[in-house]
Amino acid sequence: MLLSQLPEDILYHILSYLDYKSLGRLSQVCQSIYHFVNRDAVWRKIAKEFLNTGITLNGTDKYSHIPLKERVKIAQNWYDGVCRRAVPLKWKTKLLPWLQLDGNVLFLSQASDIGAYHLSQDSGRVQRKPFEIYSGHKGDVCHFALTDSHLISGGSDGKILVHSRKTDMLMELSGHNQEVNCLDSKDGLIISGSKDQTARIWTLTSTCPRDTITMYDRVWSVAISPTLSTFGTGTACCENFSPLRIWDVERSECVCSLGSQFRRGAGVLDMVFESPFQLLTCGYDTYIRLWDLRLSPRKCVMEWEEPHDSALYCIQTDGNHMIASGSSHYGVVRLWDKRQAECLQFFQLTSDSVSSPVYCLRFSSSHLYAALATTLHSLDFSKNPIYIR
């Protein structure tokens, strides 16, 4: 009996013992084996172990439109740091830009405007001119968030603007009296944090805040839990309490404080919920920390230190093994494998004579985009995939 004549369940079982290189070689045996080996079911177990294949810890697939074999090819380039670099956009004035990525559209804030740029489907290249511009702030945009239907931005003018992505409708939320440093939005819920030392809870049905929480410190970062029942806040850590706290959305009460060893000034600059019970944070103390909110007391279960003792301005996660971080000096982007203590790869995007923080970064299955003070950088990991044919 030929290998291709075996029952499918037996063949799946046999192939489950092969690594990705062996599967790539096996697919070259004949046409029928090629088509069988290329099925997603063959690659799913392997894909779970690679970086940024879109398979998350809870089993969801973020890039289901891309065959898993192709994603494993590209994932090997992420792991090895094989990429092509480009600078698709430049501007003259130094800014604090922010990014969001939605499919084939990249949103970039520049001063008081937010531009929406098409990305080429085949290459991920950023188009030179935005196809749409969201404006309305009287000062610079500090932060913005995307939902399926809205773009919500916070500015140095203390205003929060809610732009409809489907119509020209614009709503202004007033409440903060200083710049809105951070905000997050999910399912009609908006959480904002400001230099005015307050965090505010909003809904899309009112222009006034539902609740105001006095923080007694500048708020640098916020994140809403996937369950929508809690949210996290990160402050400047200039007072005698933990800069990192979890709050109940309905009661507006503090559920817990995370960590007790933060030194004065070790503010939390960015945070991301990986799941309802796992929170990633970074900031001025040069550490990325993973917090488990199921434990009692809640505590940090893993941490990774920036090797050059630079503050970490931003982080992103693939929901599984990979973390990308942006540093405060020389435009350094680092890739981390959570199963390893040391940095996996790093990319210095500026020269030693021109230093800029990485203010924000976002990545897709094949590209990473990083916003610096005067440039947008692109790292393309889809080129020249190796080892698998």
Side-chain angles (χ1 to χ4, degrees):
M1 181 179 288
L2 298 176
L3 183 66
S4 58
Q5 294 174 322
L6 289 171
E8 287 193 354
D9 57 341
I10 295 177
L11 191 52
Y12 277 128
H13 185 71
I14 293 172
L15 298 187
S16 69
Y17 289 94
L18 301 184
D19 62 14
Y20 66 98
K21 293 182 183 180
S22 300
L23 285 174
R25 297 188 186 106
L26 182 62
S27 67
Q28 300 175 65
V29 170
C30 66
Q31 192 172 27
S32 61
I33 290 292
Y34 171 83
H35 289 299
F36 188 90
V37 170
N38 278 11
R39 295 181 182 181
D40 278 2
V42 174
W43 292 89
R44 186 163 297 277
K45 179 181 177 182
I46 292 174
K48 289 180 180 179
E49 299 304 313
F50 275 74
L51 302 183
N52 197 29
T53 57
I55 307 296
T56 63
L57 290 172
N58 60 14
T60 59
D61 191 345
K62 296 191 294 184
Y63 311 129
S64 57
H65 60 289
I66 306 173
L68 274 175
K69 179 182 176 182
E70 296 303 313
R71 283 184 266 169
V72 171
K73 284 184 182 181
I74 298 170
Q76 187 63 45
N77 285 345
W78 284 92
Y79 189 87
D80 294 333
V82 178
C83 66
R84 292 184 182 179
R85 305 188 190 191
V87 182
L89 296 174
K90 296 182 179 181
W91 48 92
K92 294 181 179 180
T93 305
K94 287 187 177 182
L95 304 172
L96 278 71
W98 195 256
L99 291 173
Q100 293 291 355
L101 188 60
D102 183 18
N104 290 321
V105 180
L106 182 72
F107 295 83
L108 168 67
S109 66
Q110 294 171 289
S112 60
D113 295 331
I114 301 169
Y117 296 82
H118 280 305
L119 303 176
S120 301
Q121 275 194 329
D122 54 343
S123 65
R125 184 177 301 168
V126 182
Q127 299 298 313
R128 291 287 181 181
K129 294 184 178 181
F131 67 89
E132 191 165 1
I133 295 176
Y134 299 87
S135 57
H137 285 285
K138 295 179 181 178
D140 287 356
V141 174
C142 300
H143 204 111
F144 66 93
L146 281 181
T147 68
D148 291 339
S149 57
H150 293 88
L151 184 152
I152 303 103
S153 59
S156 60
D157 54 5
K159 306 294 184 183
I160 296 174
L161 299 183
V162 180
H163 303 264
S164 172
R165 296 178 60 184
K166 300 176 181 179
T167 68
D168 293 332
M169 184 176 176
L170 174 65
M171 182 170 65
E172 181 179 307
L173 310 182
S174 299
H176 292 292
N177 54 39
Q178 295 188 55
E179 53 257 50
V180 180
N181 293 321
C182 53
L183 57 82
D184 194 13
S185 179
K186 286 183 175 66
D187 290 348
L189 176 68
I190 302 171
I191 307 294
S192 62
S194 171
K195 188 179 178 180
D196 67 8
Q197 301 188 357
T198 66
R200 298 178 189 258
I201 304 173
W202 315 75
T203 64
L204 291 177
T205 59
S206 174
T207 59
C208 297
R210 196 198 76 188
D211 284 300
T212 298
I213 303 172
T214 302
M215 303 292 294
Y216 303 104
D217 207 349
R218 290 166 293 170
V219 185
W220 288 130
S221 57
V222 296
I224 301 173
S225 167
T227 64
L228 305 180
S229 60
T230 60
F231 66 93
T233 59
T235 60
C237 199
C238 293
E239 301 297 332
N240 295 322
F241 47 75
S242 170
L244 186 55
R245 285 176 282 177
I246 305 297
W247 302 83
D248 184 276
V249 169
E250 291 300 322
R251 302 193 308 270
S252 303
E253 294 178 355
C254 182
V255 175
C256 65
S257 297
L258 303 179
S260 58
Q261 304 300 318
F262 289 94
R263 69 177 187 271
R264 185 176 177 83
V268 178
L269 294 176
D270 199 8
M271 60 175 65
V272 180
F273 274 97
E274 273 202 317
S275 74
F277 309 108
Q278 292 181 307
L279 179 67
L280 283 165
T281 64
C282 71
Y284 283 118
D285 66 352
T286 76
Y287 280 91
I288 301 171
R289 291 187 171 90
L290 175 63
W291 304 86
D292 193 328
L293 306 182
R294 294 168 295 187
L295 302 177
S296 182
R298 282 88 164 177
K299 64 179 182 179
C300 174
V301 291
M302 297 180 72
E303 62 182 23
W304 301 268
E305 184 178 11
E306 213 288 332
H308 289 167
D309 201 33
S310 297
L312 295 173
Y313 273 52
C314 55
I315 50 174
Q316 278 291 289
T317 172
D318 68 349
N320 195 358
H321 299 304
M322 190 180 84
I323 304 171
S325 65
S327 301
S328 59
H329 297 301
Y330 307 114
V332 172
V333 170
R334 295 187 186 275
L335 302 183
W336 307 80
D337 187 333
K338 288 160 59 176
R339 298 163 293 188
Q340 302 178 21
E342 304 297 326
C343 167
L344 181 64
Q345 299 291 344
F346 85 96
F347 308 91
Q348 184 175 327
L349 304 182
T350 64
S351 64
D352 290 344
S353 59
V354 182
S355 180
S356 168
V358 179
Y359 289 109
C360 187
L361 57 82
R362 294 289 183 266
F363 57 78
S364 63
S365 63
S366 57
H367 288 73
L368 185 146
Y369 303 95
L372 279 65
T374 59
T375 50
L376 174 70
H377 291 255
S378 169
L379 305 181
D380 181 358
F381 293 88
S382 67
K383 305 301 182 183
N384 303 318
I386 53 178
Y387 301 127
I388 307 172
R389 297 193 177 188

mmCIF file of all heavy atoms in Angstrom, residues 199-233:
data_model
loop_
_atom_site.group_PDB
_atom_site.id
_atom_site.type_symbol
_atom_site.label_atom_id
_atom_site.label_comp_id
_atom_site.label_asym_id
_atom_site.label_seq_id
_atom_site.Cartn_x
_atom_site.Cartn_y
_atom_site.Cartn_z
ATOM 1 N N ALA A 199 -9.049 58.929 35.979
ATOM 2 C CA ALA A 199 -9.473 57.974 34.951
ATOM 3 C C ALA A 199 -10.985 58.103 34.846
ATOM 4 O O ALA A 199 -11.681 58.245 35.871
ATOM 5 C CB ALA A 199 -9.076 56.556 35.333
ATOM 6 N N ARG A 200 -11.506 58.072 33.644
ATOM 7 C CA ARG A 200 -12.948 58.267 33.449
ATOM 8 C C ARG A 200 -13.532 57.129 32.634
ATOM 9 O O ARG A 200 -12.885 56.584 31.734
ATOM 10 C CB ARG A 200 -13.233 59.614 32.784
ATOM 11 C CG ARG A 200 -12.771 60.784 33.646
ATOM 12 C CD ARG A 200 -12.995 62.131 32.972
ATOM 13 N NE ARG A 200 -12.343 63.198 33.729
ATOM 14 C CZ ARG A 200 -12.962 64.041 34.545
ATOM 15 N NH1 ARG A 200 -14.273 63.937 34.732
ATOM 16 N NH2 ARG A 200 -12.295 64.981 35.195
ATOM 17 N N ILE A 201 -14.770 56.774 32.985
ATOM 18 C CA ILE A 201 -15.513 55.718 32.305
ATOM 19 C C ILE A 201 -16.610 56.371 31.474
ATOM 20 O O ILE A 201 -17.397 57.172 31.998
ATOM 21 C CB ILE A 201 -16.118 54.725 33.315
ATOM 22 C CG1 ILE A 201 -15.017 54.130 34.222
ATOM 23 C CG2 ILE A 201 -16.879 53.611 32.601
ATOM 24 C CD1 ILE A 201 -15.537 53.267 35.345
ATOM 25 N N TRP A 202 -16.670 56.025 30.184
ATOM 26 C CA TRP A 202 -17.619 56.619 29.263
ATOM 27 C C TRP A 202 -18.391 55.524 28.531
ATOM 28 O O TRP A 202 -17.939 54.376 28.462
ATOM 29 C CB TRP A 202 -16.918 57.470 28.198
ATOM 30 C CG TRP A 202 -15.855 58.394 28.683
ATOM 31 C CD1 TRP A 202 -14.596 58.049 29.090
ATOM 32 C CD2 TRP A 202 -15.932 59.820 28.795
ATOM 33 N NE1 TRP A 202 -13.886 59.165 29.450
ATOM 34 C CE2 TRP A 202 -14.678 60.270 29.274
ATOM 35 C CE3 TRP A 202 -16.921 60.757 28.528
ATOM 36 C CZ2 TRP A 202 -14.401 61.605 29.480
ATOM 37 C CZ3 TRP A 202 -16.646 62.109 28.729
ATOM 38 C CH2 TRP A 202 -15.407 62.517 29.213
ATOM 39 N N THR A 203 -19.509 55.905 27.972
ATOM 40 C CA THR A 203 -20.228 55.052 27.022
ATOM 41 C C THR A 203 -20.523 55.881 25.775
ATOM 42 O O THR A 203 -20.496 57.128 25.813
ATOM 43 C CB THR A 203 -21.555 54.529 27.608
ATOM 44 O OG1 THR A 203 -22.433 55.633 27.858
ATOM 45 C CG2 THR A 203 -21.312 53.748 28.903
ATOM 46 N N LEU A 204 -20.819 55.206 24.676
ATOM 47 C CA LEU A 204 -21.088 55.902 23.421
ATOM 48 C C LEU A 204 -22.466 56.563 23.395
ATOM 49 O O LEU A 204 -22.808 57.238 22.421
ATOM 50 C CB LEU A 204 -20.966 54.928 22.245
ATOM 51 C CG LEU A 204 -19.551 54.428 21.941
ATOM 52 C CD1 LEU A 204 -19.574 53.406 20.809
ATOM 53 C CD2 LEU A 204 -18.634 55.590 21.583
ATOM 54 N N THR A 205 -23.241 56.386 24.444
ATOM 55 C CA THR A 205 -24.598 56.957 24.481
ATOM 56 C C THR A 205 -24.653 58.311 25.174
ATOM 57 O O THR A 205 -25.708 58.917 25.259
ATOM 58 C CB THR A 205 -25.560 55.992 25.188
ATOM 59 O OG1 THR A 205 -25.079 55.748 26.520
ATOM 60 C CG2 THR A 205 -25.648 54.665 24.425
ATOM 61 N N SER A 206 -23.516 58.796 25.694
ATOM 62 C CA SER A 206 -23.521 60.066 26.428
ATOM 63 C C SER A 206 -22.219 60.812 26.181
ATOM 64 O O SER A 206 -21.158 60.201 26.009
ATOM 65 C CB SER A 206 -23.702 59.823 27.927
ATOM 66 O OG SER A 206 -23.578 61.027 28.653
ATOM 67 N N THR A 207 -22.291 62.120 26.197
ATOM 68 C CA THR A 207 -21.102 62.953 26.038
ATOM 69 C C THR A 207 -20.443 63.280 27.369
ATOM 70 O O THR A 207 -19.389 63.909 27.397
ATOM 71 C CB THR A 207 -21.464 64.267 25.321
ATOM 72 O OG1 THR A 207 -22.453 64.971 26.089
ATOM 73 C CG2 THR A 207 -21.995 64.000 23.921
ATOM 74 N N CYS A 208 -21.053 62.862 28.455
ATOM 75 C CA CYS A 208 -20.494 63.083 29.793
ATOM 76 C C CYS A 208 -19.990 61.767 30.369
ATOM 77 O O CYS A 208 -20.541 60.703 30.076
ATOM 78 C CB CYS A 208 -21.548 63.678 30.726
ATOM 79 S SG CYS A 208 -22.138 65.295 30.208
ATOM 80 N N PRO A 209 -18.949 61.810 31.210
ATOM 81 C CA PRO A 209 -18.436 60.555 31.780
ATOM 82 C C PRO A 209 -19.453 59.899 32.713
ATOM 83 O O PRO A 209 -20.161 60.588 33.457
ATOM 84 C CB PRO A 209 -17.181 60.997 32.543
ATOM 85 C CG PRO A 209 -17.372 62.455 32.797
ATOM 86 C CD PRO A 209 -18.175 62.976 31.651
ATOM 87 N N ARG A 210 -19.511 58.582 32.649
ATOM 88 C CA ARG A 210 -20.387 57.847 33.563
ATOM 89 C C ARG A 210 -19.844 57.886 34.982
ATOM 90 O O ARG A 210 -20.591 58.005 35.959
ATOM 91 C CB ARG A 210 -20.518 56.395 33.096
ATOM 92 C CG ARG A 210 -21.667 55.625 33.711
ATOM 93 C CD ARG A 210 -21.473 54.135 33.548
ATOM 94 N NE ARG A 210 -20.469 53.622 34.475
ATOM 95 C CZ ARG A 210 -20.003 52.380 34.440
ATOM 96 N NH1 ARG A 210 -20.400 51.546 33.499
ATOM 97 N NH2 ARG A 210 -19.102 51.989 35.321
ATOM 98 N N ASP A 211 -18.512 57.759 35.101
ATOM 99 C CA ASP A 211 -17.855 57.817 36.413
ATOM 100 C C ASP A 211 -16.489 58.455 36.260
ATOM 101 O O ASP A 211 -15.843 58.341 35.205
ATOM 102 C CB ASP A 211 -17.688 56.411 37.006
ATOM 103 C CG ASP A 211 -18.982 55.849 37.573
ATOM 104 O OD1 ASP A 211 -19.532 56.467 38.489
ATOM 105 O OD2 ASP A 211 -19.428 54.804 37.060
ATOM 106 N N THR A 212 -16.028 59.091 37.313
ATOM 107 C CA THR A 212 -14.690 59.671 37.379
ATOM 108 C C THR A 212 -13.972 59.104 38.594
ATOM 109 O O THR A 212 -14.507 59.126 39.703
ATOM 110 C CB THR A 212 -14.747 61.205 37.475
ATOM 111 O OG1 THR A 212 -15.377 61.736 36.309
ATOM 112 C CG2 THR A 212 -13.347 61.784 37.592
ATOM 113 N N ILE A 213 -12.769 58.589 38.381
ATOM 114 C CA ILE A 213 -11.976 58.005 39.461
ATOM 115 C C ILE A 213 -10.764 58.892 39.701
ATOM 116 O O ILE A 213 -9.956 59.114 38.781
ATOM 117 C CB ILE A 213 -11.516 56.580 39.113
ATOM 118 C CG1 ILE A 213 -12.720 55.681 38.801
ATOM 119 C CG2 ILE A 213 -10.689 55.987 40.239
ATOM 120 C CD1 ILE A 213 -12.335 54.317 38.270
ATOM 121 N N THR A 214 -10.616 59.400 40.903
ATOM 122 C CA THR A 214 -9.450 60.211 41.254
ATOM 123 C C THR A 214 -8.263 59.289 41.514
ATOM 124 O O THR A 214 -8.317 58.404 42.368
ATOM 125 C CB THR A 214 -9.732 61.069 42.493
ATOM 126 O OG1 THR A 214 -10.878 61.897 42.228
ATOM 127 C CG2 THR A 214 -8.544 61.952 42.824
ATOM 128 N N MET A 215 -7.169 59.513 40.772
ATOM 129 C CA MET A 215 -6.021 58.612 40.838
ATOM 130 C C MET A 215 -4.865 59.169 41.677
ATOM 131 O O MET A 215 -3.964 58.422 42.043
ATOM 132 C CB MET A 215 -5.505 58.342 39.414
ATOM 133 C CG MET A 215 -6.557 57.768 38.462
ATOM 134 S SD MET A 215 -7.069 56.109 38.899
ATOM 135 C CE MET A 215 -5.571 55.202 38.625
ATOM 136 N N TYR A 216 -4.856 60.481 41.938
ATOM 137 C CA TYR A 216 -3.795 61.145 42.694
ATOM 138 C C TYR A 216 -2.429 61.018 42.017
ATOM 139 O O TYR A 216 -1.390 61.134 42.662
ATOM 140 C CB TYR A 216 -3.711 60.588 44.126
ATOM 141 C CG TYR A 216 -5.007 60.709 44.885
ATOM 142 C CD1 TYR A 216 -5.814 59.584 45.074
ATOM 143 C CD2 TYR A 216 -5.444 61.938 45.378
ATOM 144 C CE1 TYR A 216 -7.022 59.689 45.746
ATOM 145 C CE2 TYR A 216 -6.654 62.042 46.053
ATOM 146 C CZ TYR A 216 -7.438 60.926 46.234
ATOM 147 O OH TYR A 216 -8.631 61.025 46.908
ATOM 148 N N ASP A 217 -2.426 60.768 40.726
ATOM 149 C CA ASP A 217 -1.196 60.636 39.962
ATOM 150 C C ASP A 217 -1.555 60.681 38.478
ATOM 151 O O ASP A 217 -2.680 60.359 38.089
ATOM 152 C CB ASP A 217 -0.492 59.313 40.296
ATOM 153 C CG ASP A 217 1.017 59.381 40.079
ATOM 154 O OD1 ASP A 217 1.480 60.369 39.472
ATOM 155 O OD2 ASP A 217 1.722 58.453 40.511
ATOM 156 N N ARG A 218 -0.600 61.076 37.644
ATOM 157 C CA ARG A 218 -0.846 61.083 36.206
ATOM 158 C C ARG A 218 -1.065 59.661 35.695
ATOM 159 O O ARG A 218 -0.341 58.737 36.080
ATOM 160 C CB ARG A 218 0.344 61.709 35.474
ATOM 161 C CG ARG A 218 0.495 63.213 35.684
ATOM 162 C CD ARG A 218 1.865 63.684 35.226
ATOM 163 N NE ARG A 218 2.914 63.137 36.078
ATOM 164 C CZ ARG A 218 4.213 63.215 35.800
ATOM 165 N NH1 ARG A 218 4.621 63.798 34.686
ATOM 166 N NH2 ARG A 218 5.109 62.709 36.631
ATOM 167 N N VAL A 219 -2.033 59.501 34.823
ATOM 168 C CA VAL A 219 -2.356 58.184 34.274
ATOM 169 C C VAL A 219 -1.698 58.058 32.906
ATOM 170 O O VAL A 219 -1.978 58.842 31.994
ATOM 171 C CB VAL A 219 -3.882 57.982 34.154
ATOM 172 C CG1 VAL A 219 -4.187 56.565 33.691
ATOM 173 C CG2 VAL A 219 -4.563 58.278 35.482
ATOM 174 N N TRP A 220 -0.821 57.050 32.757
ATOM 175 C CA TRP A 220 -0.082 56.853 31.514
ATOM 176 C C TRP A 220 -0.689 55.775 30.624
ATOM 177 O O TRP A 220 -0.487 55.796 29.402
ATOM 178 C CB TRP A 220 1.370 56.479 31.811
ATOM 179 C CG TRP A 220 2.246 57.560 32.345
ATOM 180 C CD1 TRP A 220 3.055 57.479 33.445
ATOM 181 C CD2 TRP A 220 2.446 58.874 31.819
ATOM 182 N NE1 TRP A 220 3.730 58.655 33.642
ATOM 183 C CE2 TRP A 220 3.380 59.538 32.647
ATOM 184 C CE3 TRP A 220 1.921 59.569 30.721
ATOM 185 C CZ2 TRP A 220 3.793 60.840 32.419
ATOM 186 C CZ3 TRP A 220 2.341 60.872 30.497
ATOM 187 C CH2 TRP A 220 3.268 61.490 31.333
ATOM 188 N N SER A 221 -1.387 54.800 31.184
ATOM 189 C CA SER A 221 -1.874 53.688 30.368
ATOM 190 C C SER A 221 -3.152 53.103 30.970
ATOM 191 O O SER A 221 -3.332 53.108 32.190
ATOM 192 C CB SER A 221 -0.801 52.597 30.246
ATOM 193 O OG SER A 221 -0.390 52.135 31.533
ATOM 194 N N VAL A 222 -4.013 52.610 30.097
ATOM 195 C CA VAL A 222 -5.223 51.906 30.512
ATOM 196 C C VAL A 222 -5.465 50.748 29.549
ATOM 197 O O VAL A 222 -5.014 50.772 28.410
ATOM 198 C CB VAL A 222 -6.482 52.826 30.527
ATOM 199 C CG1 VAL A 222 -6.346 53.929 31.550
ATOM 200 C CG2 VAL A 222 -6.759 53.386 29.135
ATOM 201 N N ALA A 223 -6.187 49.724 30.008
ATOM 202 C CA ALA A 223 -6.565 48.589 29.160
ATOM 203 C C ALA A 223 -7.810 47.942 29.734
ATOM 204 O O ALA A 223 -7.919 47.745 30.945
ATOM 205 C CB ALA A 223 -5.435 47.563 29.071
ATOM 206 N N ILE A 224 -8.757 47.630 28.849
ATOM 207 C CA ILE A 224 -10.000 46.984 29.249
ATOM 208 C C ILE A 224 -9.849 45.483 29.098
ATOM 209 O O ILE A 224 -9.360 44.990 28.075
ATOM 210 C CB ILE A 224 -11.178 47.481 28.381
ATOM 211 C CG1 ILE A 224 -11.330 48.999 28.505
ATOM 212 C CG2 ILE A 224 -12.468 46.792 28.788
ATOM 213 C CD1 ILE A 224 -12.359 49.594 27.563
ATOM 214 N N SER A 225 -10.272 44.740 30.111
ATOM 215 C CA SER A 225 -10.231 43.281 30.057
ATOM 216 C C SER A 225 -11.171 42.762 28.974
ATOM 217 O O SER A 225 -12.210 43.374 28.692
ATOM 218 C CB SER A 225 -10.639 42.702 31.414
ATOM 219 O OG SER A 225 -10.890 41.319 31.319
ATOM 220 N N PRO A 226 -10.853 41.622 28.344
ATOM 221 C CA PRO A 226 -11.749 41.036 27.332
ATOM 222 C C PRO A 226 -13.153 40.749 27.854
ATOM 223 O O PRO A 226 -14.101 40.701 27.078
ATOM 224 C CB PRO A 226 -11.027 39.745 26.932
ATOM 225 C CG PRO A 226 -9.595 39.999 27.222
ATOM 226 C CD PRO A 226 -9.581 40.872 28.431
ATOM 227 N N THR A 227 -13.309 40.564 29.170
ATOM 228 C CA THR A 227 -14.639 40.308 29.742
ATOM 229 C C THR A 227 -15.469 41.579 29.913
ATOM 230 O O THR A 227 -16.662 41.499 30.210
ATOM 231 C CB THR A 227 -14.504 39.622 31.108
ATOM 232 O OG1 THR A 227 -13.841 40.521 32.015
ATOM 233 C CG2 THR A 227 -13.718 38.327 31.003
ATOM 234 N N LEU A 228 -14.825 42.742 29.768
ATOM 235 C CA LEU A 228 -15.456 44.057 29.954
ATOM 236 C C LEU A 228 -15.864 44.329 31.397
ATOM 237 O O LEU A 228 -16.493 45.351 31.683
ATOM 238 C CB LEU A 228 -16.693 44.224 29.052
ATOM 239 C CG LEU A 228 -16.507 43.999 27.553
ATOM 240 C CD1 LEU A 228 -17.821 44.211 26.821
ATOM 241 C CD2 LEU A 228 -15.433 44.918 27.000
ATOM 242 N N SER A 229 -15.519 43.454 32.319
ATOM 243 C CA SER A 229 -15.913 43.641 33.719
ATOM 244 C C SER A 229 -14.872 44.409 34.523
ATOM 245 O O SER A 229 -15.195 44.998 35.567
ATOM 246 C CB SER A 229 -16.157 42.287 34.381
ATOM 247 O OG SER A 229 -14.981 41.494 34.345
ATOM 248 N N THR A 230 -13.626 44.425 34.066
ATOM 249 C CA THR A 230 -12.554 45.125 34.769
ATOM 250 C C THR A 230 -11.684 45.877 33.771
ATOM 251 O O THR A 230 -11.734 45.626 32.565
ATOM 252 C CB THR A 230 -11.665 44.158 35.566
ATOM 253 O OG1 THR A 230 -11.075 43.198 34.667
ATOM 254 C CG2 THR A 230 -12.457 43.420 36.636
ATOM 255 N N PHE A 231 -10.869 46.793 34.294
ATOM 256 C CA PHE A 231 -9.863 47.459 33.474
ATOM 257 C C PHE A 231 -8.645 47.763 34.334
ATOM 258 O O PHE A 231 -8.736 47.838 35.568
ATOM 259 C CB PHE A 231 -10.415 48.735 32.821
ATOM 260 C CG PHE A 231 -10.774 49.839 33.772
ATOM 261 C CD1 PHE A 231 -9.856 50.839 34.096
ATOM 262 C CD2 PHE A 231 -12.042 49.908 34.342
ATOM 263 C CE1 PHE A 231 -10.189 51.861 34.963
ATOM 264 C CE2 PHE A 231 -12.386 50.927 35.213
ATOM 265 C CZ PHE A 231 -11.459 51.910 35.526
ATOM 266 N N GLY A 232 -7.510 47.931 33.686
ATOM 267 C CA GLY A 232 -6.277 48.234 34.390
ATOM 268 C C GLY A 232 -5.837 49.656 34.129
ATOM 269 O O GLY A 232 -6.100 50.223 33.067
ATOM 270 N N THR A 233 -5.147 50.249 35.111
ATOM 271 C CA THR A 233 -4.572 51.579 34.955
ATOM 272 C C THR A 233 -3.103 51.547 35.371
ATOM 273 O O THR A 233 -2.726 50.868 36.326
ATOM 274 C CB THR A 233 -5.302 52.634 35.816
ATOM 275 O OG1 THR A 233 -5.227 52.251 37.200
ATOM 276 C CG2 THR A 233 -6.756 52.770 35.396
#
